[in-house]
Every structure is written in C-alpha cells, then in structure tokens.
Amino acid sequence: MVDSDVVHTAMSTAPGEVEPPSGPGALGPRGMGRWAWRQLTSMRTALLLLLLLTVAAVPGSLVPQSAVDPVRVAEFTAQHPTLSPWYERLSLFNVFAAPWFAAIYLLLFLSLAGCVLPRSRAHWAASRARPPAAPRYLERLPVHEGWTVDVSPREVLDAARLALRRRRFRVDVGSDGSVAAEKGYLRETGNLLFHAALLFLLVAVAVGNLFGFQGSVLVAEGGSFSNTVSAYDTVRQGAAFRSGSLVPFTLTLDDLSVRYEQKGVQRGAPRDFKAAVSFTASPDASPKGGELRVNHPLVIDGTKIFLLGNGYAPVFTVRDGTGEVVFSGPVPFLPRDGNNTSVGVVKVPGAKPKQLGFQGLFLPTAVLDPQRGPISVFPDDALPRAVITAWVGDLGLDSGAAQSVYRLDTTGMTQVMNSGRPLAQSLARGATMTLPDGAGSITFDGVRRWTSLKVSHDPGKQWALLSASAALIGLMLSLFVRRRRVWVRATAGDDGRTLVRVAGLARAEGEGLADEVAEIATALRAKED
Amino acid sequence: MASESVAQISNNLLYCAMAVYAVAMYCYAAELAFGSRLRRGEPALVTANGAGDTSYDEPAAPVEEREDRTGKAERLGRIAVSLTALAFGLHLASVIARGISAGRPPWGNMFEFSVTGSLAVTGVYLVLLARRDVRYLGIFVMLPVLLTLGLAVTVLYTESTQLVPALKSVWLVIHVTAAMIASGILTIGFAQTICYLVQERRERTPAEQRSPSFMDRLPSAAVLDRSAYRMHAFAFPIWTFAVIAGAIWAENAWGRYWGWDPKETWAFITWMVYACYLHARATAGWRGRKAAYVALLGYSTFLFNYLVVNIWLVGFHSYAGVN
C-alpha cells in the first residue's frame, strides 16, 4: 500500500512496475530495447514530455501561423527578411504541423499507450480478484474501532457482509473470522478511461485532418457558388479527402444586412449580421431559402456553412478608349479598419488600346479630413465614396505567375497623371472619372455587400467530441472517486463475548474514511444490540 | 429605469464592494499580525502516521487555542469574514445590475470578465470557508480580488453595451462561466501554493529556532500542500470542461473545433501545465516544492492568457473591448 500522498492520476505507479536499471550498458540489444521502453513509459519521462509539449506550443501563439493567419505571416516575412528563412526552416510559421512538434506528442502518446495497456491488464485482474485479506492486527491500522458484543462471531460477520454490500463494497468473507471489502475501483477505471480517451482524441483529430475539407469563398450580394473544390478561394483538404464526398449544393447570396451600434463609445461596433440565401441541395432539387448568421451556420445535407467576414463590393463600369464597356460588376474590396475603409483594385485586361488598372479606396461614410484626407467615419454605407487612381499598360496577367486580385502589379504600368500629379477622384454614386487622352472612363455605379463563407467537412469531429467527453468523465472519476478498503474481524473472547474490530485504509489522499468506518461500525452495533 | 442609470448603480455598487474588501483585507492582516503563535488547522492526533485519512482542516482544538479564539485576533477575523460576505453581496449586486443594464450575461468584455471572475474568486473562498477553517487565506484572496477590480475600473473599464454578434450564443454562458469558476478555484489554489512554499521553507528550521512570524498562524506545509492539491484537482475538470465547451462553440461559430488561435493555444498550455502538476505530485523526485512550482507556472500561464493574449495577441478571441 502506498502512502497517502500518492495521486492515482499517475499512470506509471502501476502495480508491479520495476525500477529501471541504472543504465543500458552491457544489456544486449533486447535488454537495451526493454530499458528504452521502460524509460519511455516511466512517469518521469511522461512528465518531461508533457512539459516539453507545453513549451513547444508557446511559439505557435507568438509567431504568426500560416494555418491561422497567412496575411500576417506574409507581413512578418516582409518585415524580417533575415530572420524569416530561419523561422521557415524551423517550421515556426507552422508549429502545430511541425515535425518536431509531432515528434513530442507522438512520443508522449506512445509513452501513454505503454502505460495504459499494462495498467488496464492489471486493473482487469484486480477488479476480478478478491479484496486483500484482513491484516491480523486491525488495531494497528490508522482508522479503526473496536467493541465487544454478545452475539457469535459468525453472526457479526454475516451482518458485516450485508452492511458492506449495502454500501456497494466488494466483499469477501475470509476463513479466519474476518470480512475484507474494497470499493472505488472506478477511480482506476476513470484514470484509464481518461488516458485512453486522449489517445482516441488524437486519432479523431488525425481522421479529421486526413479526410476533412475546409473551403472559404467570398460572395457578393447576387452572386452564387457551387460546392466544388475549384469554386473556393482558399481550400484546405486532407490527403485522403475525395472531392466526390462534397454535397453538390449551389448557394446564392440574396441579401446581407448588417446593423451597427449608432451611439455611445461603441458607435460603429457591429451588432448583427444576417445573410439571406437561397440554395439547391443538389442539381435537380428545388431551390430553398435560408438564413445565415454568426453562431448560426446553415446546414445543407450535413455540410455546415458559416458566415465569417463581410465587406463592400463597389460596382464599377469601365469603358476603354474605343468607348466599349469592357468591365461591369461588383469588385470585392477588403476592409482595413473598424469603419470599413476598404481597398481594392479593378483589373481590365480587355481594354484597348492598352490594359487598364484602377486602385481604389472605398469609404462607406466618407468625410474629408483636413489632415488625413478622405476617411470613413462609420462602417455603414451612409455616404459612400470611391476614391480612384488609374494605371495604364501591361497588367502582367499573361506571364502566368499567380497574382492577388486585391493588388495591382504596377511594374509594367504607368500611372495616369493630371497636370503633373497623379489623377485621383472621389466618386459619388453614379459619378464617372474620365481618363485624359481618351484612354477610357470608370463609373461608380453603386455598392453591394459581400460576405466570406466557410464550408467545413470534418468526419472526425463527432469522434473528437465523444473522446473529449469520455476523457472528462474519466478525469472526474479518477479525481473524485476514493478507493478504500474496510475489514471487519470478529473473535470469540475468553469470557464468551465477541470482540469486533473494524478498520479502514484509503489508497489516495482524500477525506471521510474515518467517518465511513465510524458509520459502518455504528450500523453494525445497531444490528447487534 | 434607463439602462445607463442601472449601469451607474452597478459601478457605484462595485466601488462600495471594493471599499469593503479593502477594510476586510486590513482586518485579515491584523488578525494574522496580532494572533497568537498557535497554528490553526493542525491535524487531529487520532489518526497518526499520515497513512490513513485524516480530517486535517477541522481539528480538535487544543485548550490554549480555544482561549485564543475569544481574543482580539479572533474578533478581528470574524469581522473580516462578515465584511467579506458583505462585499461579496455588493459585488454580486453590481454584477447583476450590469447584466440588467446590458440585457445579457455580464461577461462580454474584459472589464466584465474581470469583475465577474473576481466575484467567482470571493465566492469560492466563501464556499470553502463554510466548510473548513481557511480564514488564514483571507488576505491572500482579498489582495488579488482588489488588484483585479482596481485594474478593471481603471484600465479595462468599458461602458455597458450590447454584444458583438460573435458572442451572441448560449455558449457564452456555458463556456465563460466554466472558465470563470475554474479560474476562481485556481486563484485560491495559487494562494495556498504560495503559502505552502513559504511555510515549507520556514519549517526547514527547527521549530524552536524560528523567529515569531504571522506564518505561525497558518497551517503546516503538509496541510497547505494537500489543500492546494484539492483546489487544483477540483478546478482541473472544470477547466477541461471550459476548453471542451469552447471547442464546441468554435465549431459552431468558425467551422472548426480547434484552430490554434492564441487564446486556444494558451488554454491548452494552461491545461497541460496543470496536468503536469497533477502528475508531478505522484512522481518521485517531483513531489513537494517542484510540483508547487509547476502549479505556480500553471497560474502564470492562466494570467498570461487573461492579460497578454486578450490585449496584445491578435486572434479570433479579440473581445477585450479595451482601446
């Protein structure tokens, strides 16, 4: 029996655990393997691996992560040109998928498995074995009571057996005039369940990563998309993911309504986003209407669609030098601040004689600040203005290199000037900016909202939840169930009376054993009197 | 009544609570300073040798101590407890008024989280006090509560308003309440761990060579260690539940249950460090001081998550409302 300080959350306080030999020297390959296995599954190693994993997670929160925020990674790389390659080499932009991170948690889980298995076997055996027999001298145990009665020892022991059974003890009647009882096996069961559930959680996460799919897409009001891998702007898919498993729905964003706080210090803080959508669950299904809100995803045939961000897509019409309409439609701009000051570009590769590009600033509620120039003072579109500058030349789209739709590559272009200064105009709804020398014009027709939608498919998530819940239940059992043993011994005295002793022993730190023994003793006495 | 005036009532109640907490803290301090040298909370002698189960916190008081209990220090201690209960009442009323004025659970930004979280700390202390003699902890509870409230009303103060859409969910109640209760218990455990470390150091000197100190009024290192363990063991499943509830909410709001957002990462780190603590207490060579240091590390990761991650690290959980 261990001293009261031992906590049975410990995995490798397993019964029968042998102290590892001092070193691997002269053990031979087999002995060496066993030595290494014992080292790995020892509590001390598990503890160090736990600490190591904790420390390893820290850079993941301090260095921008490409899986969480690729834009910030790009910014960081631009700001730290010498440091970034090293970060890249050490996987610091991708800590949670880094080989060294995986090495730590795989070792930890291996160590854990190496503990759970032998301990499960031992616990299985222990829970089928009889409770340990009563020690000879119960009065030497820390918690004990004794008294004498007039009934025979056998009657006392029968009563004790029943009383202990009623208290849900496992009871064994010894041949030497004693009763042994034990209770609280659920503590170790919970402990094993907790650790095994963590192993399953890891498997569930791995299944989600292997077979899962996440796609996000930006849709302007009136726009639509179908649930195919190519329709998404950004996609994360597992190695074993099959595109055929995507639900073949098509979704149209009919309307996005946004409400902002109108007064007080929180003026401009978002209060409500609501997207009205219509969708067809499969190509031959009839269209249905639906609503999407933050925290209220839309579910189509088991696929969840989430509302993430939102912004403005100003609608422009561009005419080229020949007077032909070469572009017309909404262009999503990216919000830059809390008042939705948004930036974006319009690329018109079809313009003649030269390609046209426009850089724009969209201000939903525009004010001309004497110092800072045109700014937005409220996120809603109360007084929308588009501030436009124009470029002429080669957009660089033919080179084949990937280009951001939010950025203009101006290397092959020249900025359109007006009397020595860049041409810039703030356009109200319906206004047109005409480029000099008959190069064309751009009209700001109005504005629509866009929303970014995320579609997520994770076949491991139910299993992850199940494992986590099992882990929690196991954890509570292992921390709150107390394992304790109670013995009753009845001996016939010389005077014909029977000496009864009750004693208890708790395995883990806890309280109430003395009370429990006292209660059992009281119950027995009540019976015998 | 207009919601602004209810918010004002809430603020006034909070200031009153802080004043009463401060007086209570001085009373606890005076009790420790003027009390006799006798220790409280020594284990009863009936179950010697430490192997069994002893009721450590409810001792059969020796005669001298019983006499001391009618003395000046005892009176101060009782006043301190009454004041703590009064301050808790005012604090609770303030939180309720804040909730009424905003029309929602009052933990939607960092100010409100701090105020409600510190209420949880006092609440845990009072519940514990009803069950055991933990009055020695009073000053170590009043101090962090007052510091948190001071930080809340000066640096973190945010006017009572509606929630941003991301927080409008039933999970705000489930996830944040669990996190606050767990942090309340962890704070008490942290205070006990500090007491343990000081007491353990003190006990290395033989009793007769020690100079008198208020530490004599505290329980022995073994008792403190055990009580701290109980607090941590109780808080750990609640923290686990808070993390799981957060993951369920994240799945419903952002389409993934775990995404290594800084807040999530630090919740994980805190969980791991406390898991280390629970294991360390069962590992030879780690029991005692080392395990206690791991517990302190756990609390500091929790503080980092609460203060640094909320304000400085960019992530999905940016609801601090601090400008």
Side-chain angles (χ1 to χ4, degrees):
Chain A
M1 185 103 322
V2 285
D3 73 312
S4 68
D5 240 322
V6 171
V7 188
H8 283 264
T9 44
M11 288 309 291
S12 61
T13 50
E17 193 197 15
V18 191
E19 200 49 39
S22 51
L27 278 173
R30 249 184 104 174
M32 189 99 143
R34 281 169 75 161
W35 176 84
W37 179 247
R38 267 201 209 121
Q39 288 295 311
L40 181 65
T41 56
S42 85
M43 188 65 164
R44 213 162 302 197
T45 310
L47 195 57
L48 285 176
L49 286 170
L50 267 174
L51 277 175
L52 203 59
L53 190 61
T54 312
V55 174
V58 174
S61 75
L62 304 178
V63 178
Q65 297 295 295
S66 46
V68 178
D69 198 343
V71 179
R72 283 188 59 229
V73 175
E75 280 169 13
F76 185 91
T77 316
Q79 278 166 18
H80 304 91
T82 43
L83 205 58
S84 305
W86 285 100
Y87 275 29
E88 193 72 58
R89 249 163 263 173
L90 296 170
S91 309
L92 282 178
F93 294 125
N94 222 341
V95 166
F96 303 106
W100 49 267
F101 192 78
I104 301 170
Y105 71 72
L106 287 178
L107 272 178
L108 180 65
F109 276 96
L110 194 64
S111 151
L112 213 152
C115 260
V116 169
L117 293 177
R119 265 188 94 150
S120 302
R121 222 177 301 131
H123 182 54
W124 176 250
S127 56
R128 290 160 63 93
R130 294 173 166 192
R136 175 135 296 275
Y137 302 105
L138 288 183
E139 61 272 28
R140 289 186 188 164
L141 286 171
V143 182
H144 63 90
E145 281 192 35
W147 65 94
T148 49
V149 288
D150 285 327
V151 291
S152 74
R154 240 192 61 201
E155 281 171 273
V156 172
L157 293 180
D158 274 348
R161 190 170 52 85
L162 288 174
L164 287 164
R165 278 261 163 81
R166 209 169 303 123
R167 288 170 177 272
R168 294 165 179 276
F169 275 86
R170 289 176 28 140
V171 184
D172 184 52
V173 182
S175 53
D176 59 339
S178 68
V179 169
E182 187 163 17
K183 187 176 175 178
Y185 289 85
L186 276 178
R187 184 185 187 93
E188 178 69 357
T189 311
N191 185 20
L192 292 167
L193 175 65
F194 170 69
H195 288 87
L198 289 186
L199 284 169
F200 277 106
L201 181 62
L202 182 73
V203 173
V205 171
V207 165
N209 280 336
L210 269 177
F211 296 93
F213 170 83
Q214 283 186 4
S216 52
V217 59
L218 196 145
V219 192
E221 283 170 318
S224 60
F225 79 101
S226 17
N227 189 25
T228 53
V229 174
S230 59
Y232 291 101
D233 301 331
T234 54
V235 166
R236 277 174 66 194
Q237 59 186 78
F241 170 75
R242 300 269 169 276
S243 54
S245 58
L246 288 179
V247 177
F249 68 81
T250 306
L251 186 142
T252 307
L253 177 67
D254 298 326
D255 177 64
L256 178 70
S257 71
V258 184
R259 200 163 53 78
Y260 295 98
E261 182 69 56
Q262 297 289 339
K263 54 187 193 322
V265 278
Q266 297 264 321
R267 187 172 182 272
R271 288 298 171 233
D272 200 20
F273 302 120
K274 222 183 283 173
V277 298
S278 46
F279 63 89
T280 50
S282 61
D284 37 281
S286 53
K288 279 188 203 153
E291 192 187 73
L292 256 167
R293 280 183 296 147
V294 181
N295 278 318
H296 296 274
L298 178 72
V299 186
I300 305 178
D301 277 358
T303 301
K304 276 185 169 179
I305 300 140
F306 301 88
L307 184 72
L308 291 186
N310 77 100
Y312 289 103
V315 184
F316 295 106
T317 300
V318 178
R319 288 184 167 79
D320 67 2
T322 65
E324 198 83 20
V325 174
V326 281
F327 178 87
S328 183
V331 183
F333 276 34
L334 296 182
R336 295 293 289 271
D337 61 22
N339 284 325
N340 277 341
T341 302
S342 311
V343 292
V345 298
V346 187
K347 298 180 189 183
V348 194
K352 285 168 190 141
K354 278 181 175 168
Q355 294 185 331
L356 293 174
F358 300 91
Q359 280 178 332
L361 192 65
F362 176 75
L363 311 164
T365 302
V367 163
L368 192 67
D369 186 271
Q371 266 97 50
R372 293 186 289 164
I375 56 161
S376 174
V377 291
F378 195 70
D380 216 349
D381 58 339
L383 191 68
R385 291 284 183 276
V387 184
I388 303 292
T389 56
W391 298 72
V392 179
D394 180 11
L395 286 166
L397 294 170
D398 304 327
S399 67
Q403 242 192 44
S404 164
V405 293
Y406 302 108
R407 206 168 285 164
L408 205 58
D409 181 6
T410 55
T411 41
M413 309 195 86
T414 47
Q415 187 159 23
V416 178
M417 309 293 275
N418 184 22
S419 47
R421 290 180 39 206
L423 174 71
Q425 222 168 300
S426 174
L427 304 178
R429 232 186 278 245
T432 301
M433 178 170 93
T434 310
L435 305 184
D437 310 325
S441 71
I442 180 165
T443 307
F444 172 44
D445 299 319
V447 63
R448 292 184 198 168
R449 291 182 194 275
W450 59 257
T451 177
S452 56
L453 299 178
K454 180 172 173 184
V455 169
S456 170
H457 168 70
D458 183 343
K461 73 182 176 197
Q462 281 85 357
W463 296 106
L465 180 61
L466 200 68
S467 311
S469 312
L472 183 60
I473 292 168
L475 181 64
M476 291 199 292
L477 289 176
S478 77
L479 288 172
F480 302 138
V481 170
R482 289 167 298 124
R483 184 143 178 196
R484 60 259 193 220
R485 293 171 181 170
V486 170
W487 294 284
V488 181
R489 199 176 267 289
T491 17
D494 298 334
D495 55 354
R497 301 187 55 162
T498 303
L499 176 66
V500 185
R501 282 196 194 281
V502 182
L505 198 58
R507 243 179 124 166
E509 54 190 308
E511 64 212 280
L513 182 72
D515 292 342
E516 189 155 23
V517 168
E519 273 174 40
I520 292 166
T522 314
L524 281 179
R525 277 176 165 155
K527 265 260 161 62
E528 288 144 10
D529 286 345
Chain B
M1 212 183 311
S3 69
E4 285 85 9
S5 60
V6 182
Q8 193 52 50
I9 291 172
S10 162
N11 290 348
N12 291 342
L13 283 167
L14 192 60
Y15 285 119
C16 293
M18 287 174 72
V20 182
Y21 275 134
V23 179
M25 184 174 76
Y26 287 120
C27 289
Y28 284 121
E31 188 206 1
L32 282 185
F34 302 138
S36 83
R37 283 201 61 182
L38 272 168
R39 237 182 225 163
R40 307 195 312 199
E42 277 296 288
L45 294 171
V46 273
T47 57
N49 84 22
D53 190 84
T54 44
S55 49
Y56 294 96
D57 295 316
E58 286 149 313
V63 180
E64 302 94 315
E65 191 170 352
R66 240 178 263 136
E67 279 167 6
D68 172 59
R69 296 212 150 210
T70 57
K72 196 199 271 173
E74 174 63 20
R75 266 207 309 273
L76 277 168
R78 287 181 185 198
I79 291 170
V81 170
S82 309
L83 288 174
T84 310
L86 173 65
F88 178 79
L90 292 166
H91 195 165
L92 179 68
S94 164
V95 167
I96 291 172
R98 178 84 179 188
I100 291 171
S101 84
R104 57 178 173 78
W107 44 82
N109 53 49
M110 225 173 133
F111 165 73
E112 294 172 352
F113 183 84
S114 307
V115 172
T116 316
S118 51
L119 180 75
V121 175
T122 319
V124 170
Y125 167 68
L126 285 175
V127 168
L128 202 61
L129 197 64
R131 296 165 54 103
R132 301 169 201 289
D133 185 6
V134 288
R135 212 160 71 197
Y136 68 91
L137 272 179
I139 186 165
F140 306 106
V141 173
M142 294 301 105
L143 197 66
V145 166
L146 271 173
L147 281 176
T148 311
L149 289 178
L151 192 72
V153 295
T154 52
V155 183
L156 306 173
Y157 185 74
T158 318
E159 266 183 44
S160 170
T161 50
Q162 293 178 43
L163 288 177
V164 291
L167 289 181
K168 281 183 193 155
S169 168
V170 61
W171 291 101
L172 175 71
V173 182
I174 301 168
H175 165 62
V176 184
T177 310
M180 281 189 302
I181 293 174
S183 40
I185 304 171
L186 289 175
T187 305
I188 305 279
F190 169 74
Q192 285 175 324
T193 307
I194 299 257
C195 293
Y196 159 74
L197 283 169
V198 176
Q199 192 73 293
E200 198 268 349
R201 175 165 222 107
R202 197 174 150 70
E203 281 177 10
R204 275 189 246 162
T205 334
E208 55 276 13
Q209 289 170 27
R210 283 179 220 155
S211 50
S213 153
F214 71 89
M215 287 306 289
D216 295 327
R217 304 267 314 159
L218 267 58
S220 69
V223 172
L224 285 168
D225 184 42
R226 225 177 302 261
S227 315
Y229 165 74
R230 275 195 210 131
M231 283 291 122
H232 288 119
F234 190 54
F236 190 66
I238 302 177
W239 185 259
T240 311
F241 174 75
V243 172
I244 294 174
I248 297 173
W249 187 7
E251 199 280 325
N252 213 32
W254 303 319
R256 87 288 187 288
Y257 58 85
W258 196 266
W260 298 109
D261 172 83
K263 193 95 197 177
E264 293 168 354
T265 306
W266 279 92
F268 168 78
I269 290 173
T270 303
W271 191 86
M272 291 286 283
V273 177
Y274 280 117
C276 280
Y277 164 76
L278 294 180
H279 284 88
R281 278 187 54 95
T283 309
W286 280 82
R287 254 164 252 167
R289 286 193 83 83
K290 268 196 201 169
Y293 287 132
V294 177
L296 296 193
L297 184 69
Y299 196 73
S300 54
T301 64
F302 161 74
L303 280 187
F304 187 90
N305 206 354
Y306 157 61
L307 289 171
V308 181
V309 174
N310 271 353
I311 299 178
W312 283 290
L313 294 189
V314 183
F316 275 121
H317 285 79
S318 305
Y319 310 123
V322 180
N323 298 313

